[in-house]
Amino acid sequence: MDSRSDSAPLFTPPLNEPAPRELCTDCGVSRMSDPKQCGQACQFIKPNYPAMELKVHGRTRDAAKPDEAFFGPYRRMLQAAMKRPRDGAQWTGITTRIGERLLETGAVEAVITMAADPADKWKPRPVLVTRAEDMAQCRGMRMGYAPSLALLEPARDAGFKRIAVIGIPCQIYALRSLEQKLGFERLYVIGTPCSDNTTTEAFHGFLDLLSDQPETITYLEFRADYHVELRFDDGRIKEIPFLLLPISKLPPDFFPITCRTCVDYTNTLADITVGYMAGRGEQWLLVRNQRGEELLGLLGDEVRLSQPTSAGKRAAPVKGFLKNTELAAGGLPVRGMPNWLRPFMGWLMPKVGPRGLEFARARVEMKAVETVLHLRRAYKHKMKNMVPAHVWALVKSYGLAPEDDEQRK
């Protein structure tokens, strides 16, 4: 039964409690009618990216396109920005505008995404959106777990045949695993990259370290120029270099082990990935297949497009990250340097460090390094099934290689 009402156009059905899992980001599958589907769908059990990429994109990664080793299959990579940035958007509003256009044109009947919890602006709440104007309520960044896939069955039961899903990589891998079983006539997938998540409660602790009035913070973004940008409700903007962040004051488990062992930073199974890493102050698009071309086409001349650029070298920062991660022994890697040097390095890195595509490659390699080191420490017995070949390829040049019991035969 569809229990939506005109007074509550952002619809969140009652959700089951999640089934207990050892490694879980609560994507929503364990809350569905058959929680045992996790065994088939979860990327933290036995992911098969070559098979899934072939199924979704019609091909696997092309060795003749070196960047596909980092970012997965794509047709086009672009730097992009809405010509008229949307109020309240995390960047310029490309992701939510695509959702609006899908609903405006009738290409879909509903969009599954997330909005802010009424009780906490930073907490994500999975929602089913059926009116284009309501996508505006889904703008901005949230931090925490949003079991968005739990809305797939209610959407189907409500009679929706054509839907879109906006999600992060662990959600999209599970969605693609279950796609045929769900039986929708049309499914569009808009993916956002994700490196690390945390609980909403832990995120509030982070905000407390950044400001003596954390309740006045309205926006937070980790930018590709090595700064965190904060905006406040009085219009102030504060920029903090990465090297001056109070990382050492965070608890060792601030980022859960799931996020530190994720093998898909760039959401390779989406039709289009909308992120920031290679955007040089704008957004970064990876149009992955024909359906992704349709999604970008919906924006028409509302969006400004250009080619991504690249500068700097990633090898030294990635090696430094590897060393610091090893020294942290499961805690958060903190760059070892005197405090007096940090402001200078914070000023220098945006000028000489990896930028644009090289920054994106560096982040993907860092995530691959994290995956190997943390799984080897905490779940060595899972490595054979959890670490795909493309991750081993990324860490090879940094001296990391699979041991006899760590690679699929």
Side-chain angles (χ1 to χ4, degrees):
M1 179 182 294
D2 184 355
S3 60
R4 292 169 294 145
S5 69
D6 291 338
S7 61
L10 290 182
F11 173 54
T12 303
L15 301 178
N16 297 327
E17 288 297 312
R21 298 284 186 261
E22 187 175 23
L23 289 173
C24 184
T25 56
D26 195 11
C27 70
V29 172
S30 78
R31 298 171 182 259
M32 296 172 73
S33 58
D34 180 10
K36 293 181 180 179
Q37 293 179 118
C38 290
Q40 167 197 347
C42 184
Q43 78 153 21
F44 296 105
I45 296 178
K46 193 176 181 179
N48 188 339
Y49 276 89
M52 295 294 283
E53 289 167 2
L54 184 62
K55 172 184 170 185
V56 173
H57 305 306
R59 65 179 182 85
T60 56
R61 301 174 189 222
D62 185 352
K65 296 173 69 175
D67 272 336
E68 290 201 355
F70 297 91
F71 311 134
Y74 63 88
R75 287 186 170 199
R76 292 194 286 161
M77 274 200 300
L78 299 161
Q79 185 168 302
M82 297 297 295
K83 294 178 182 177
R84 183 174 67 82
R86 271 42 180 183
D87 291 338
Q90 190 66 10
W91 286 89
T92 60
I94 289 176
T95 304
T96 46
R97 182 56 181 152
I98 291 175
E100 287 176 349
R101 292 290 293 141
L102 284 166
L103 291 166
E104 287 172 356
T105 60
V108 303
E109 300 157 298
V111 176
I112 293 176
T113 183
M114 66 179 185
D117 188 281
D120 186 339
K121 65 185 178 184
W122 295 110
K123 184 177 181 180
R125 172 175 63 109
V127 291
L128 197 62
V129 185
T130 56
R131 304 188 314 192
E133 59 266 32
D134 295 324
M135 284 299 303
Q137 299 180 53
C138 303
R139 295 173 185 161
M141 185 266 282
R142 320 277 174 239
M143 189 66 80
Y145 300 128
S148 300
L149 301 191
L151 275 60
L152 289 166
E153 289 176 334
R156 184 187 60 192
D157 295 344
F160 298 127
K161 303 292 186 183
R162 304 183 311 279
I163 70 165
V165 176
I166 301 173
I168 58 177
C170 55
Q171 296 170 337
I172 301 311
Y173 188 93
L175 170 67
R176 292 303 198 184
S177 298
L178 303 176
E179 181 176 357
Q180 291 182 331
K181 184 182 297 186
L182 291 165
F184 291 105
E185 290 179 2
R186 193 72 168 167
L187 174 66
Y188 291 95
V189 179
I190 302 106
T192 59
C194 178
S195 60
D196 296 295
N197 201 350
T198 190
T199 64
T200 307
E201 293 73 21
F203 184 66
H204 277 290
F206 180 55
L207 295 179
D208 290 343
L209 295 173
L210 299 181
S211 172
D212 57 3
Q213 293 183 303
E215 70 282 357
T216 65
I217 298 174
T218 60
Y219 176 100
L220 182 146
E221 180 61 72
F222 285 82
R223 300 190 324 212
D225 65 354
Y226 303 89
H227 285 73
V228 167
E229 178 181 338
L230 301 177
R231 299 178 190 172
F232 297 83
D233 57 15
D234 62 1
R236 286 182 300 121
I237 296 177
K238 181 179 181 181
E239 298 178 359
I240 307 172
F242 286 176
L243 292 176
L244 297 183
L245 290 172
I247 301 298
S248 62
K249 296 180 181 179
L250 294 174
D253 62 350
F254 180 78
F255 295 122
I257 189 68
T258 45
C259 296
R260 288 188 278 177
T261 58
C262 176
V263 297
D264 182 15
Y265 187 23
T266 59
N267 221 324
T268 58
L269 299 178
D271 297 319
I272 187 171
T273 297
V274 185
Y276 78 96
M277 288 187 297
R280 302 292 288 267
E282 295 187 335
Q283 288 180 274
W284 177 47
L285 306 183
L286 293 107
V287 181
R288 299 193 180 277
N289 53 34
Q290 180 55 42
R291 204 157 291 187
E293 296 281 9
E294 293 177 39
L295 293 169
L296 180 57
L298 288 170
L299 300 180
D301 62 3
E302 295 181 35
V303 66
R304 179 177 64 250
L305 302 174
S306 60
Q307 291 302 308
T309 59
S310 187
K313 300 293 184 182
R314 68 184 184 275
V318 177
K319 288 176 182 176
F321 177 84
L322 188 157
K323 179 181 177 181
N324 290 332
T325 303
E326 289 177 325
L327 292 173
L332 296 178
V334 179
R335 186 180 293 272
M337 70 173 62
N339 286 333
W340 63 266
L341 188 57
R342 290 176 183 270
F344 172 73
M345 292 302 296
W347 170 84
L348 186 64
M349 285 300 291
K351 296 173 175 58
V352 302
R355 285 99 74 200
L357 285 171
E358 188 71 350
F359 178 86
R361 297 178 193 117
R363 287 300 297 132
V364 170
E365 287 185 338
M366 288 176 183
K367 289 304 300 177
V369 163
E370 259 196 325
T371 293
V372 171
L373 294 182
H374 287 299
L375 276 178
R376 191 170 275 169
R377 174 187 57 83
Y379 290 100
K380 186 174 174 60
H381 64 286
K382 293 181 178 288
M383 293 186 72
K384 180 173 67 174
N385 289 325
M386 278 184 62
V387 184
H390 73 262
V391 169
W392 286 118
L394 289 170
V395 301
K396 182 178 180 180
S397 63
Y398 298 100
L400 294 176
E403 298 173 3
D404 290 343
D405 58 348
E406 292 179 345
Q407 193 173 30
R408 299 177 195 175
K409 303 300 183 184

